[in-house]
Amino acid sequence: MNSTVIILVAALIYAGLYMLYGKALQNKVVKADPNRPTPAHRLYDGVDYVPAHPIVLYGHHFASIAGAGPIVGPAVAMAWGWLPSLLWVWFGNVFIGAVHDYLALMSSVRYDGKSIQWVAGKLMSKRTSMAFELYVWFALVLVIAAFAAVISGIFVGTPEAATASLLFLIDAIILGYLLYKMKINFYVGTAIGLILLVFAVWLGFKFPIVASKQIWMIVLGIYIIIASSLPVWVLLQPRDYLNAYILWFGLLLGGVAFIVVGLKGAGTFTAPAFTTWSANVVGGKPSPFWPTVPLVIACGALSGFHSIVGSGTTSKQLDNELHGLLVGYGGMFTEGFLSTIVIASIAVYGLKVFQTMNIPVDTTNWGAQYAIQVVKHGIKVGIFAKSYAYGLEDAFGIPFKTGAVFASLWVSAFALTTLDTATRLGRFAWQEIMDMIHGPEILKNKWVASIILAIFGIYMAWGGSWLIIWPAFSGMNQMLASIAMMTASLWVAKVQRPEGAWKWAVVIPALFLWITVTAALVWFLVVIKPGFWVSLITVVGLLLNLLLVVDWYAAWKKPAEEYATA
């Protein structure tokens, strides 16, 4: 296989289905109305409810949902070969992930920007809402643990990225002040922000900050507490918007590079297309293709975390209902395209990376050794960063070192957005739980709620084995996706009531996911036997999941006439 073919086919798939399937969802299922005021206008508060320019919101949403997930997941799943990874990314992205993201966003918009867990309670029962809130909170603890581990590892391995990432924060605060306090022209503000962004990258190369993994985890813990408690316009919105430019630039550069590499005859896939049905992946043990591939690839194909972002921060900033398609649906497709580039780059250059590092992985032992060696040598992000850099070098003559640092910066910038957005969303979930149980006012305080979440997440990341935490996070994440899809299916079938068979476009993926991920998490507990805290969270998640499915079935049997339109 050739990288040019894969990149062009992916571009055609995503562009074509956005115009056909996406538009159909917008018009026939959601029935988006540009004249219906969104919660950002009706409930404006200057903190969480703030209408955003569609490109700014697309940047925030995309940067938040992308994180390191669509890079790390497919990179690890290459243990099964490039073909299974690619097929799941495309299939999952088109028929599940993008539908899930868009409907979670728009159902929230129709209910005052409330969370998807609140919507579940509205459509099912108060018990459902409580169970969902608890599930989300536990899942977000794992998100913070997984991404704190990934980011601190990147900062240790590539200190240039650490410096630039810290400077990005100052850049974002300046941009937020210019746009929202000084009311400067949007495009002028963007230009200033981008110039500062380039300056930050340059300073990163000149003054790399070297520190241990534990130091970076402490810094990250303090950062997410502050970032998740400030008004969105101060840091979250402008930082995500600027980060999106890095990702768009990286996507464009990588996409063109691997087309050029293929045309030059250097883009032939050297990694095996398929290795074995049970590659050694999760915990270094034989992991069956089904049901573990969806767990490992995670955000590259679909992610329940996206529903929390869509119905958490994004829905409160949507300026117009028609913007939802670009933000929710287009954001997921862009993420799928990113995962496609990750797979193509490792498929072409992965073997070269192993050879240059004297790592004993070849086409004959790829399924048995790939994931084990990637983790052992700490190159779970590096395998992609180095492959990407080789692609830039062969295509455009960009020095390998420059390309590798840029790729690491690329990953860390987006992982940071996921980390602080997850903390803010966890704060929302915690406050909603406290409201439900009439908890003490002090525990509802945004700073206290953020501190509790950060302490749990960083503690788990501190000594956690990466290949244990990542599948646990992924399993809870995919389970969350099936529950969110089930909630969306109720909203579509009982409230929106589309014509024809459109409701089954949501119900079937939701049930498929539920069966797959339930089986995967049971396998994870029985075979892998993770540590106490990960096991506890996984068991709690499974129990809540069973409760939610029972409530969903009870609600599904009710006649549609019992549900008010929204």
Side-chain angles (χ1 to χ4, degrees):
M1 183 53 68
N2 183 286
S3 61
T4 302
V5 175
I6 295 300
I7 299 299
L8 292 179
V9 168
L12 287 174
I13 288 174
Y14 289 128
L17 287 171
Y18 180 90
M19 297 305 297
L20 298 174
Y21 201 56
K23 290 285 186 182
L25 283 171
Q26 175 185 262
N27 298 329
K28 295 180 179 179
V29 177
V30 173
K31 301 169 187 171
D33 180 358
N35 298 314
R36 189 196 305 253
T38 62
H41 290 282
R42 287 189 290 104
L43 304 172
Y44 177 84
D45 64 2
V47 178
D48 295 318
Y49 289 87
V50 180
H53 189 285
I55 300 300
V56 173
L57 189 57
Y58 171 69
H60 155 67
H61 182 78
F62 180 42
S64 298
I65 66 170
I71 295 170
V72 174
V76 175
M78 284 291 290
W80 283 284
W82 61 264
L83 186 58
S85 302
L86 198 60
L87 291 178
W88 177 246
V89 165
W90 287 352
F91 175 85
N93 208 235
V94 169
F95 294 107
I96 308 177
V99 178
H100 162 277
D101 288 17
Y102 181 51
L103 294 182
L105 168 62
M106 296 311 296
S107 61
S108 170
V109 167
R110 293 291 171 82
Y111 289 107
D112 292 341
K114 298 286 189 181
S115 64
I116 190 68
Q117 50 271 38
W118 186 95
V119 175
K122 174 75 175 178
L123 299 175
M124 292 181 242
S125 69
K126 288 185 178 178
R127 183 181 74 170
T128 310
S129 184
M130 172 61 82
F132 206 161
E133 291 283 10
L134 287 170
Y135 188 94
V136 166
W137 193 83
F138 280 113
L140 289 172
V141 169
L142 283 175
V143 170
I144 292 171
F147 281 84
V150 169
I151 297 168
S152 56
I154 293 173
F155 284 179
V156 171
T158 313
E160 296 89 346
T163 304
S165 295
L166 293 179
L167 292 173
F168 281 178
L169 305 181
I170 300 172
D171 184 6
I173 292 172
I174 293 172
L175 178 62
Y177 184 79
L178 292 174
L179 291 179
Y180 291 97
K181 288 299 180 183
M182 295 187 66
K183 306 294 184 184
I184 192 173
N185 178 275
F186 174 75
Y187 297 102
V188 173
T190 298
I192 293 172
L194 291 177
I195 291 170
L196 292 175
L197 195 67
V198 174
F199 186 55
V201 174
W202 180 78
L203 286 176
F205 276 94
K206 291 292 183 183
F207 306 102
I209 299 176
V210 178
S212 69
K213 192 169 184 177
Q214 284 68 33
I215 292 293
W216 282 122
M217 283 195 184
I218 294 171
V219 171
L220 290 172
I222 296 171
Y223 163 70
I224 58 178
I225 291 169
I226 297 172
S228 63
S229 302
L230 292 173
V232 290
W233 65 267
V234 174
L235 178 60
L236 189 131
Q237 256 190 19
R239 197 277 320 280
D240 290 358
Y241 172 56
L242 288 176
N243 274 350
Y245 277 95
I246 300 177
L247 186 50
W248 292 330
F249 177 70
L251 274 174
L252 180 64
L253 189 66
V256 174
F258 281 93
I259 290 174
V260 172
V261 163
L263 292 175
K264 284 184 173 181
T268 303
F269 285 8
T270 57
F274 175 75
T275 58
T276 171
W277 293 108
S278 294
N280 293 337
V281 180
V282 183
K285 297 181 179 179
S287 308
F289 178 77
W290 186 93
T292 49
V293 162
L295 259 71
V296 172
I297 289 185
C299 313
L302 61 110
S303 166
F305 176 67
H306 298 184
S307 69
I308 308 303
V309 175
S311 66
T313 54
T314 307
S315 63
K316 296 176 178 63
Q317 302 173 66
L318 196 73
D319 187 35
N320 185 304
E321 283 199 353
L322 292 184
H323 299 167
L325 188 66
L326 169 67
V327 175
Y329 196 79
M332 186 67 231
F333 269 17
T334 314
E335 187 164 335
F337 187 68
L338 166 61
S339 292
T340 302
I341 291 177
V342 172
I343 292 170
S345 63
I346 298 175
V348 175
Y349 293 107
L351 272 179
K352 183 176 181 179
V353 173
F354 288 131
Q355 290 167 359
T356 55
M357 296 182 70
N358 294 316
I359 297 174
V361 177
D362 54 37
T363 54
T364 62
N365 67 358
W366 187 280
Q369 290 296 318
Y370 174 88
I372 293 173
Q373 296 297 333
V374 162
V375 173
K376 179 181 177 182
H377 293 275
I379 55 170
K380 42 198 178 284
V381 173
I383 183 73
F384 161 68
K386 292 176 186 295
S387 298
Y388 184 89
Y390 280 127
L392 298 186
E393 188 175 47
D394 284 351
F396 308 122
I398 296 173
F400 173 78
K401 172 69 176 177
T402 303
V405 170
F406 173 74
S408 297
L409 178 63
W410 200 30
V411 179
S412 63
F414 292 98
L416 267 175
T417 64
T418 299
L419 189 65
D420 62 34
T421 299
T423 312
R424 180 177 289 264
L425 297 172
R427 189 248 293 175
F428 290 162
W430 177 268
Q431 290 172 320
E432 289 178 357
I433 292 169
M434 289 297 110
D435 282 339
M436 289 178 190
I437 64 174
H438 305 292
E441 286 299 320
I442 184 66
L443 293 181
K444 298 178 185 177
N445 178 276
K446 62 182 181 181
W447 293 95
V448 174
S450 299
I451 289 170
I452 292 172
L453 191 69
I455 288 175
F456 271 100
I458 298 297
Y459 171 75
M460 292 188 64
W462 194 270
S465 170
W466 190 83
L467 266 186
I468 297 296
I469 290 180
W470 185 264
F473 144 70
S474 300
M476 292 286 282
N477 190 26
Q478 304 306 79
M479 185 64 77
L480 184 58
S482 78
I483 296 169
M485 284 285 276
M486 286 181 171
T487 301
S489 71
L490 279 179
W491 180 64
V492 168
K494 305 297 183 182
V495 180
Q496 295 300 101
R497 304 171 200 172
E499 295 180 356
W502 274 102
K503 68 179 181 183
W504 297 109
V506 190
V507 175
I508 293 174
L511 294 176
F512 169 76
L513 266 182
W514 190 88
I515 294 170
T516 297
V517 182
T518 300
L521 286 178
V522 171
W523 172 85
F524 180 67
L525 284 171
V526 173
V527 177
I528 302 302
K529 299 181 177 66
F532 175 77
W533 288 108
V534 174
S535 296
L536 178 64
I537 289 180
T538 306
V539 169
V540 171
L542 277 170
L543 293 175
L544 293 174
N545 167 63
L546 291 172
L547 178 65
L548 286 162
V549 167
V550 170
D551 288 351
W552 176 86
Y553 182 67
W556 184 260
K557 291 193 297 183
K558 292 181 182 178
E561 288 72 22
E562 293 187 16
Y563 292 87
T565 56

